[in-house]
Amino acid sequence: MTLSKQIEQRRVKLDDPFWNKITELVRREVIPYQYEALHDRIEGAEKSYCIENFIKAAKADGSKKYPVDKWCYTDENTEEGAFHGWVFQDSDAYKWLEAVAYSLINHPDRELEAKADEIIDLICSAQLENGYLDTLYIINDRDKIFTNLRDFHELYCFGHLAEAGVAYYQSTGKRRLLDAALRFADLICETFGEKEGQKRGYGGHEIAELALVKLYEATGDKKYLETARFFINERGKKPYYYDLEHNVKTEGEGYFYNQAHKPPREQSEAVGHAVRGVYLYSGMADVAKYCGDGELYAACRKIWDNIEKRKMYITGGIGSTVHGEAFSFDWDLPNDLAYCETCASIGLIFFARRMEETCADSRFAAVAERALYNTVLSGMSEDGKRFFYVNPLEVDPVACRVDERKKHIKAVRQKWFSCACCPPNLARIISSLGAYCYSENEDTLFVHQYIGGSADADIATLSVISDYVENGKVKIKITPKRKMRLALRIPEWSGYTGENVKDGYEYFDIDGEREITLDFKPAARLVKSSEHVRANIGKAAVQRGVFIYCAEGTDNGEGLQLLSIDKDTAFKTDGEFLIADGYRAVPSEELYSEYTETKQTPTKIKLLPYYRWGNRGENEMSVYLNIK
Ligand code: FUB
Ligand code: ZN
């Protein structure tokens, strides 16, 4: 396994014609909007209760108790003084702070920083003496702390706190949030482990694993890495911890949902809740890397293969069933029932980043690119004020309203969600894109994502002028600090053939300042999926460069299932749209009739990048179209 390490975001500056407007949108609109949402000040939006819970926790002294028996606490099912919202509501504030931290690196903003500091003060004032910090239990019942790891997200909230603490410290130099996270981490390291008197549990929603590794990276203290490793090693062991915790006896089957049906190092398939899965796999890849654990790494590779080759949509979406927001069985990728949570694709990018650091194979960055430019970007409206949680590949607004099976699918982005994991996750990944572009080792600098800007790595400085997204063109100027190699990812969609290529990277020996120009020529093309995928037989999708395209009712009329693309079409461009030659079937009004060939009339089919769909009001959408 080739090891390289990520070049931290503060050593990367982005300046990219495609991304500038999106990162600015996140900075100017999304982050301030989410601040208001956390304070429940968005009219007509579902309530968050996030800040309200921290205020209550800061005032609570533990004398009054409320039940801790639900995933979601509403005005109807709980008392006024009790915790409100979902059990993981604290994490929204942490994700927001993490996004702010990244944003401040390149855009100092005293007003925003003051707001963040105020929230940090509030968070710290809610923390208990012993370092414990989760408002659900602080407000409702301190005697129940760490008694339901399977369901109630304390270790998940800790994970987000730790990630925010590290990011805020690295960005601003302020330690307060990091110290709060470290105090909680110390309590966790004391509470969980193999020693006499310690609990042998692990979080039902993973993330603590990767977060503890971040604390290890930030402090060098090995106990955090050891506890991350403990959580991974303990998971799925028999007798099942969750059986003991809930006094039940299962065969572990239900624990697929939490990837706790068997030890992660014995797993080879992506199963269960998709976000939990990719967060766990990211933590596994981290621990494998730092502990030189080849067996754990081999499990990561198998799981990665399973996702990439069997369980991922062409849009980089994962999790094809609403039941458990979960991975389904191999090849099961229905377009209209898809779940494809925005967070899951974000987590897939986290996993990809770790895998590309352990193995110089372009497939990891290629999947990250697919997820980023399609499902992740689709998660947010063009004005940054509305969001998709679920990102299906085919939508009929009528079905979303009347069909129970499709109730999870929204035909237009929403202002906010009571379960609001996705919007702040989007804000944090888009504000930290710089961290996904490069990695380096002693002699090689890797370029994984072509986003314009500059980087100051240990072995070279680099500037990238990028017109990659629109036209596939990139100009790289490199100034080495010593003799080194530059490894440039070749996108799998390009016809580019480099000279010294290995596993999808072209290698250049660099001995002095040099300029390299790349031209990846993003041509529109039809892409089919394996015939094993039942939903896509006789259909194809359209891809041009990083983008998967879709047809919308607004441009093509109702009944997108009637359209067929001509397999020999020459695509034309019209601004951001692609125009293809195709046909429209003339539907019979009889439900059943003697077989005759369906009449088709020639038509032009207008397609736009998938991530932009649903920005012009409610309408039908389809990524896959019949092919003729
Ligand atoms: O459980 C916390 C978050 O809520 C998950 O990551 C999302 O999938 C949603 O269920
Ligand atoms: Zn989410």
Side-chain angles (χ1 to χ4, degrees):
M1 69 184 173
T2 310
L3 290 179
S4 66
K5 70 174 174 27
Q6 165 198 29
I7 298 173
E8 302 140 32
Q9 204 205 336
R10 64 195 157 82
R11 300 176 71 183
V12 178
K13 301 246 171 305
L14 297 187
D15 182 9
D16 182 276
F18 175 80
W19 281 104
N20 284 354
K21 57 183 185 299
I22 297 172
T23 50
E24 275 300 279
L25 188 69
V26 167
R27 189 170 79 82
R28 291 180 190 277
E29 295 293 340
V30 180
I31 289 177
Y33 180 86
Q34 294 187 356
Y35 177 80
E36 294 303 308
L38 294 177
H39 288 83
D40 295 318
R41 294 196 290 243
I42 307 276
E43 219 186 294
E46 293 201 48
K47 275 190 90 171
S48 158
Y49 302 107
C50 182
I51 296 299
E52 194 178 302
N53 286 329
F54 279 108
I55 294 173
K56 284 181 187 168
K59 288 187 189 146
D61 61 7
S63 56
K64 178 114 177 70
K65 288 198 190 341
Y66 305 94
V68 182
D69 57 356
K70 289 175 276 295
W71 281 51
C72 187
Y73 301 80
T74 62
D75 289 341
E76 287 71 46
N77 71 13
T78 197
E79 287 177 54
E80 207 186 314
F83 173 93
H84 273 61
W86 291 84
V87 290
F88 43 83
Q89 221 67 355
D90 293 2
S91 62
D92 291 346
Y94 302 145
K95 280 191 262 184
W96 182 82
L97 284 166
E98 195 184 336
V100 169
Y102 299 138
S103 168
L104 291 175
I105 293 177
N106 291 327
H107 295 280
D109 177 337
R110 286 164 76 152
E111 209 183 306
L112 180 62
E113 193 170 329
K115 283 180 174 163
D117 287 340
E118 206 177 293
I119 293 189
I120 291 170
D121 285 345
L122 174 63
I123 290 168
C124 292
S125 59
Q127 185 164 35
L128 298 185
E129 264 308 286
N130 67 356
Y132 183 83
L133 185 41
D134 184 299
T135 65
L136 168 63
Y137 287 92
I138 293 176
I139 301 168
N140 281 18
D141 193 347
R142 298 175 189 186
D143 292 337
K144 297 221 169 77
I145 283 173
F146 295 140
T147 57
N148 188 352
L149 297 183
R150 189 189 65 189
D151 303 325
F152 291 164
H153 290 65
E154 292 153 286
L155 292 174
Y156 170 84
C157 289
F158 154 73
H160 279 299
L161 166 66
E163 289 202 85
V166 171
Y168 205 72
Y169 171 63
Q170 286 175 344
S171 157
T172 63
K174 294 180 182 167
R175 288 195 62 101
R176 193 138 197 248
L177 194 65
L178 176 61
D179 285 339
L182 290 173
R183 288 177 56 217
F184 196 8
D186 290 346
L187 176 73
I188 288 167
C189 294
E190 262 166 53
T191 308
F192 297 95
E194 290 170 347
K195 290 194 211 120
E196 184 83 26
Q198 286 184 306
K199 286 179 188 283
R200 302 193 68 122
Y202 39 87
H205 192 315
E206 304 91 325
I207 198 180
E209 300 76 4
L210 73 85
L212 283 161
V213 173
K214 283 199 176 176
L215 292 182
Y216 164 64
E217 288 169 337
T219 62
D221 190 335
K222 277 213 150 174
K223 84 173 168 216
Y224 302 124
L225 178 61
E226 278 156 19
T227 304
R229 190 160 194 231
F230 165 80
F231 282 148
I232 290 167
N233 284 343
E234 205 56 31
R235 191 170 209 90
K237 269 193 189 165
K238 290 181 183 169
Y240 292 109
Y241 184 81
Y242 300 149
D243 275 6
L244 304 174
E245 186 178 63
H246 295 270
N247 201 16
V248 291
K249 185 136 184 54
T250 68
E251 292 306 316
E253 202 175 310
Y255 303 146
F256 267 78
Y257 174 72
N258 317 77
Q259 298 80 33
H261 54 299
K262 59 178 167 181
R265 64 182 62 244
E266 292 170 22
Q267 299 186 24
S268 53
E269 195 186 343
V271 295
H273 185 272
V275 183
R276 293 172 198 235
V278 280
Y279 285 5
L280 169 67
Y281 311 143
S282 302
M284 285 163 64
D286 278 338
V287 168
K289 171 172 134 178
Y290 283 116
C291 298
D293 188 333
E295 190 185 40
L296 194 58
Y297 178 69
C300 293
R301 285 294 295 231
K302 286 187 205 145
I303 294 168
W304 177 275
D305 280 356
N306 181 245
I307 296 176
E308 185 190 342
K309 298 181 177 177
R310 299 285 185 271
K311 295 190 175 177
M312 182 181 72
Y313 284 91
I314 194 169
T315 51
I318 50 170
S320 43
T321 171
V322 60
H323 297 289
E325 309 181 303
F327 288 106
S328 181
F329 53 92
D330 285 355
W331 310 113
D332 183 37
L333 296 164
N335 297 309
D336 58 343
L337 291 167
Y339 202 71
C340 296
E341 182 177 340
T342 307
C343 286
S345 288
I346 292 172
L348 181 59
I349 296 172
F350 297 161
F351 186 25
R353 187 178 69 61
R354 277 127 175 125
M355 292 303 281
E356 76 198 8
E357 286 173 17
T358 45
C359 173
D361 186 327
S362 67
R363 53 197 291 217
F364 305 115
V367 164
E369 174 179 282
R370 187 181 286 285
L372 178 64
Y373 286 94
N374 297 288
T375 301
V376 173
L377 277 186
S378 149
M380 187 171 81
S381 63
E382 281 173 350
D383 65 2
K385 292 194 167 87
R386 288 173 183 263
F387 306 92
F388 276 141
Y389 184 124
V390 170
N391 296 279
L393 283 79
E394 183 181 322
V395 172
D396 171 0
V398 176
C400 300
R401 281 194 294 274
V402 303
D403 184 345
E404 280 300 325
R405 294 166 304 174
K406 295 183 181 166
K407 279 277 153 73
H408 59 289
I409 293 169
K410 304 287 174 223
V412 288
R413 292 174 182 81
Q414 309 290 294
K415 281 189 175 175
W416 197 249
F417 310 90
S418 67
C419 171
C421 48
C422 301
N425 226 354
L426 260 165
R428 71 176 178 142
I429 197 162
I430 291 176
S431 308
S432 59
L433 281 182
Y436 295 85
C437 296
Y438 314 104
S439 67
E440 67 177 333
N441 57 31
E442 274 108 63
D443 60 23
T444 309
L445 176 62
F446 293 88
V447 180
H448 303 294
Q449 303 299 341
Y450 294 104
I451 301 181
S454 58
D456 177 22
D458 287 347
I459 58 172
T461 56
L462 182 91
S463 79
V464 177
I465 298 173
S466 176
D467 181 18
Y468 176 71
V469 173
E470 300 301 337
N471 296 308
K473 293 193 182 0
V474 187
K475 196 194 271 178
I476 293 179
K477 187 169 163 195
I478 181 149
T479 312
K481 296 182 185 172
R482 55 177 181 256
K483 204 163 167 242
M484 44 94 58
R485 289 187 313 165
L486 180 65
L488 302 177
R489 178 171 67 91
I490 301 177
E492 88 290 6
W493 46 257
S494 70
Y496 184 89
T497 46
E499 285 196 350
N500 183 16
V501 177
K502 185 163 182 286
D503 295 331
Y505 287 87
E506 181 172 20
Y507 288 81
F508 296 84
D509 289 319
I510 308 286
D511 209 355
E513 195 169 290
R514 182 158 170 196
E515 243 182 48
I516 297 169
T517 305
L518 301 161
D519 187 356
F520 293 122
K521 298 195 185 1
R525 64 198 178 105
L526 293 166
V527 183
K528 73 167 192 177
S529 51
S530 160
E531 288 72 10
H532 287 297
V533 180
R534 287 169 189 261
N536 295 337
I537 288 288
K539 297 184 176 191
V542 175
Q543 176 167 6
R544 179 181 179 273
V546 297
F547 294 125
I548 303 302
Y549 280 71
C550 68
E552 281 199 278
T554 303
D555 304 307
N556 298 285
E558 281 179 20
L560 297 178
Q561 82 282 6
L562 302 173
L563 298 178
S564 302
I565 286 205
D566 183 335
K567 69 177 171 37
D568 298 317
T569 185
F571 289 97
K572 296 202 178 63
T573 48
D574 174 7
E576 287 229 54
F577 292 94
L578 282 176
I579 311 292
D581 294 322
Y583 304 88
R584 174 180 292 279
V586 180
S588 165
E589 295 310 318
E590 299 294 320
L591 183 54
Y592 302 110
S593 52
E594 200 61 39
Y595 178 77
T596 53
E597 199 159 320
T598 305
K599 197 169 164 231
Q600 307 269 357
T601 55
T603 190
K604 296 283 180 203
I605 301 176
K606 200 167 176 181
L607 304 148
L608 90 162
Y610 170 75
Y611 83 93
R612 298 196 55 198
W613 91 270
N615 274 294
R616 296 170 294 166
E618 187 179 278
N619 79 152
E620 274 183 60
M621 182 278 291
S622 189
V623 167
Y624 281 92
L625 296 173
N626 303 317
I627 186 104
K628 189 168 155 60

